Amino acid sequence: MPISEETVTFFNRTVTEYDPAEPVTLSDDIVYRLSLDYEDEQTMPELIEEFLGRIDKTQLTALIIGAWSDESDVSSASLVETLVQHAGELPNLRALFIGDMTYEEREISWIVQSDLTPLLSAFPQLEELRVRGSDSLIFQPFTHAKLRTLTIESGGLPASVAEALAASTMPALAHLELWLGTEGYGFSGDVALYQKLVAKLRTPALEYLGLRNAEIADALAVWLAGYELVGCLKTLDLSLGTLGDVGAEALFNSPYVPKLQTLDLEHHYISEEWQEKLKSLPITVDLSDPQDEEEDDGDRYVAVSE
């Protein structure tokens, strides 16, 4: 299931494609997406400079960066540098999405990122950071007082990124969403690493925990089923992964899962028997997009890998 649909909303706003030929009007209802087509001669830093030159930079609160090059080896480093250079002129930037691309623009595991830590240092008012792609992605351990939502979408999340997050501090964090992916596309780490990460990053405000697109979904579910934090969440999201009956049974028997509002298990390998049992829980359980192991010769696949 490659990412085929463009982002429609971000930061509770409607996404609008930036068009140099059209007027630019900032408002609380829209967020602009800056993206280059294959035939564009501009670089992304140049497009960012152009866009910022047309607005009142003090009023910019959210921004999306889409495709930044038609060359496969160009990283996000130069656009990150450009944004950081303008940080003093963007005092109210509260939301950033770096890498908003469909598979037609770039497969998720071909998106080359860079060290994004400077963005967190440069924008202390940032409340949401969303990142797509983990090739060359780096985070240094950081502290950020305002960040409420952190999302990293990947076909394979390196342990180095998870380790850095586990060494970071985000006291306002309410939404933590990580796409772990598969070893074939860069995933490394184990349940113990994510136990450490979640224990470090949990806050009284945390209401959504997503460990999505994981080839270790069953093992994660067994751990989380016995973790008291789950009873404090509104949503536990283990969707897009390889969850089967082992994980389903653990979640069904958990004393904490019934305290959730939503358990998201979309794209799973759970038998009909255990699906029916999960549906009997007194919460909303998403069991859409069931997969058939027999069709895959007994193998299980995460929804988003390449």
Side-chain angles (χ1 to χ4, degrees):
M1 189 188 76
I3 297 174
S4 58
E5 297 181 359
E6 294 183 346
T7 303
V8 176
T9 59
F10 174 64
F11 203 55
N12 295 319
R13 304 176 186 195
T14 301
V15 176
T16 298
E17 194 75 24
Y18 169 63
D19 184 344
E22 297 291 332
V24 179
T25 304
L26 299 182
S27 77
D28 291 338
D29 299 323
I30 65 172
V31 53
Y32 279 99
R33 177 179 183 264
L34 277 55
S35 185
L36 295 175
D37 292 327
Y38 290 115
E39 297 180 355
D40 286 337
E41 296 182 358
Q42 274 183 311
T43 64
M44 180 54 74
E46 290 171 342
L47 187 62
I48 292 172
E49 295 280 2
E50 176 188 294
F51 174 75
L52 294 179
R54 299 182 62 192
I55 64 171
D56 179 351
K57 291 187 280 292
T58 64
Q59 299 302 308
L60 185 67
T61 55
L63 184 64
I64 298 174
I65 304 296
W68 53 75
S69 176
D70 61 356
E71 298 181 14
S72 61
D73 60 346
V74 177
S75 79
S76 62
S78 61
L79 72 89
V80 169
E81 182 179 358
T82 301
L83 290 171
V84 170
Q85 287 174 348
H86 285 279
E89 304 167 89
L90 302 169
N92 295 308
L93 189 65
R94 293 160 48 208
L96 264 176
F97 183 175
I98 307 294
D100 182 21
M101 307 179 210
T102 66
Y103 79 95
E104 292 180 338
E105 294 171 299
R106 189 66 48 84
E107 297 281 5
I108 192 169
S109 292
W110 299 359
I111 298 173
V112 184
Q113 289 286 357
S114 60
D115 188 347
L116 301 189
T117 320
L119 292 172
L120 294 161
S121 301
F123 296 104
Q125 300 304 315
L126 206 63
E127 297 175 15
E128 178 166 358
L129 177 63
R130 182 174 173 185
V131 179
R132 181 171 294 162
S134 60
D135 185 1
S136 302
L137 178 64
I138 296 173
F139 280 101
Q140 307 293 339
F142 62 88
T143 297
H144 199 289
K146 295 292 184 69
L147 198 67
R148 290 180 50 80
T149 298
L150 176 63
T151 302
I152 302 176
E153 303 172 356
S154 81
L157 193 66
S160 58
V161 174
E163 291 281 7
L165 295 179
S168 299
T169 302
M170 292 169 268
L173 194 65
H175 179 115
L176 176 63
E177 180 178 347
L178 304 175
W179 296 24
L180 278 60
T182 181
E183 184 178 0
Y185 287 95
F187 170 72
S188 56
D190 52 21
V191 172
L193 173 55
Y194 286 90
Q195 289 174 331
K196 180 173 70 171
L197 182 153
V198 174
K200 177 63 188 300
L201 295 183
R202 63 177 294 184
T203 70
L206 191 68
E207 59 184 24
Y208 171 101
L209 175 62
L211 299 176
R212 309 181 69 194
N213 200 47
E215 66 179 6
I216 59 169
D218 272 331
L220 291 171
V222 170
W223 154 51
L224 290 165
Y227 190 21
E228 48 82 23
L229 168 66
V230 170
C232 304
L233 301 171
K234 290 183 178 179
T235 299
L236 176 62
D237 191 344
L238 297 174
S239 63
L240 307 183
T242 61
L243 191 75
D245 285 0
V246 170
E249 181 176 2
L251 294 169
F252 178 77
N253 291 319
S254 168
Y256 306 114
V257 166
K259 299 179 182 180
L260 293 166
Q261 292 181 8
T262 302
L263 175 62
D264 193 340
L265 306 178
E266 177 191 2
H267 184 280
H268 60 83
Y269 291 83
I270 302 171
S271 67
E272 291 186 4
E273 175 188 357
W274 278 105
Q275 287 185 58
E276 290 303 314
K277 290 182 179 181
L278 288 169
K279 289 175 184 177
S280 71
L281 291 171
I283 60 174
T284 299
V285 183
D286 187 344
L287 289 162
S288 59
D289 196 20
Q291 304 294 300
D292 188 344
E293 286 181 276
E294 292 183 3
E295 291 184 2
D296 295 325
D297 297 323
D299 293 325
R300 297 182 185 180
Y301 298 95
V302 299
V304 182
S305 54
E306 183 178 9

